[in-house]
Amino acid sequence: MTDDSARDLAESRGVETHVYQPAEDSGLLATAVVERGRGWLLEVGTGSGWVAERAATDAPEVDAVVASDLNPHACRAARARAVDAVSDGDGSEAPAFEVVRGSLVEPFADGAFDTVAFNPPYLPTDPDNEWDDWMERALSGGESGRELVDPFLDSVGRVLAPDGVVLLLVSSLTGYDEVLEHAADCGFAHEVVVEESYPFETLTVVALRSDAR
Ligand SMILES: C[S@@+](CC[C@H](N)C(=O)[O-])C[C@H]1O[C@@H](n2cnc3c(N)ncnc32)[C@H](O)[C@@H]1O
């Protein structure tokens, strides 16, 4: 079977091929966001928008939520979720959160957010096995697993308000120590918010704050 016919079959059976659906990693990030999110919150790489909805509806210290993704299918799914999340869901009320299409924090102004949350694509992927679709963009962190995490850490400080916090999901598959070393090089101190171990990986959400405070 060709890749295209496999995809057609998956689509005709309603199997999601374009948008990452909530999984254990999403659940851990949502727990951290509800516990630690505050003020204006940006969720980078929102996928289905499920974490952003939790931030908008369940996080007591969060005032407003913006969700972003590079994937246009994800942006559409997240926008539909944001509309459905308000009481009548017919579009007459403001959506529960705003959705912006763009890469990492590029679309956003300096110092705009008190909290930035990210569950990045993190699986180390052999370049010969890249599969080149939106699901690859959701899952693959390139050869090292850190091809999105590193540029995110390099740029996120720009959009953080003074005293802002980053909530970043890190997998042991991506290299926990390497990610935290890069975060330290970018001027962040870290603290573990929540951690779970599974048969093949340990997932940790770290809170990162500028260590220049
Ligand atoms: C592991 S999924 C997480 C989805 C969702 N946040 C969750 O926890 O269920 C990673 C998401 O990052 C998005 N993504 C990949 N590259 C991106 C980029 N350069 N800028 C913004 N989002 C990106 C993918 O499209 C995908 O939706």
Side-chain angles (χ1 to χ4, degrees):
M1 188 183 286
T2 66
D3 281 356
D4 277 353
S5 60
R7 191 165 303 140
D8 291 348
L9 193 58
E11 277 173 1
S12 69
R13 288 177 176 165
V15 176
E16 183 55 71
T17 57
H18 290 315
V19 181
Y20 188 88
Q21 296 302 304
E24 287 84 356
D25 47 1
S26 325
L28 277 193
L29 185 62
T31 299
V33 156
V34 168
E35 220 174 271
R36 297 293 182 94
R38 60 179 182 78
W40 277 71
L41 181 144
L42 169 66
E43 192 208 354
V44 174
T46 194
S48 70
W50 183 79
V51 175
E53 182 182 1
R54 292 286 312 275
T57 56
D58 296 342
E61 304 286 320
V62 167
D63 298 325
V65 177
V66 179
S68 72
D69 208 291
L70 191 61
N71 174 354
H73 307 286
C75 291
R76 266 194 294 277
R79 170 74 189 183
R81 181 184 289 275
V83 170
D84 283 350
V86 292
S87 58
D88 51 16
D90 68 359
S92 61
E93 265 183 78
F97 54 92
E98 295 298 333
V99 180
V100 174
R101 186 178 179 213
S103 185
L104 298 177
V105 298
E106 270 172 29
F108 305 107
D110 293 5
F113 296 102
D114 303 293
T115 310
V116 179
F118 191 25
N119 173 12
Y122 63 71
L123 290 179
T125 309
D126 179 342
D128 294 336
N129 287 333
E130 295 277 351
W131 58 103
D132 195 26
D133 64 9
W134 286 113
M135 207 44 83
E136 180 196 316
R137 292 289 192 111
L139 297 171
S140 170
E143 215 166 350
S144 67
R146 295 185 294 279
E147 280 182 18
L148 258 291
V149 177
D150 287 350
F152 170 76
L153 289 170
D154 292 337
S155 57
V156 66
R158 181 184 64 75
V159 300
L160 273 187
D163 283 350
V165 64
V166 177
L167 298 171
L168 177 66
L169 183 123
V170 186
S171 164
S172 51
L173 297 174
T174 315
Y176 183 77
D177 292 341
E178 288 84 349
V179 170
L180 290 179
E181 253 168 53
H182 196 93
D185 290 345
C186 296
F188 290 112
H190 80 274
E191 179 197 347
V192 172
V193 180
V194 58
E195 186 167 84
E196 284 284 343
S197 287
Y198 302 92
F200 298 106
E201 65 181 332
T202 296
L203 298 176
T204 308
V205 180
V206 289
L208 304 174
R209 291 175 193 281
S210 165
D211 61 12
R213 289 186 309 145

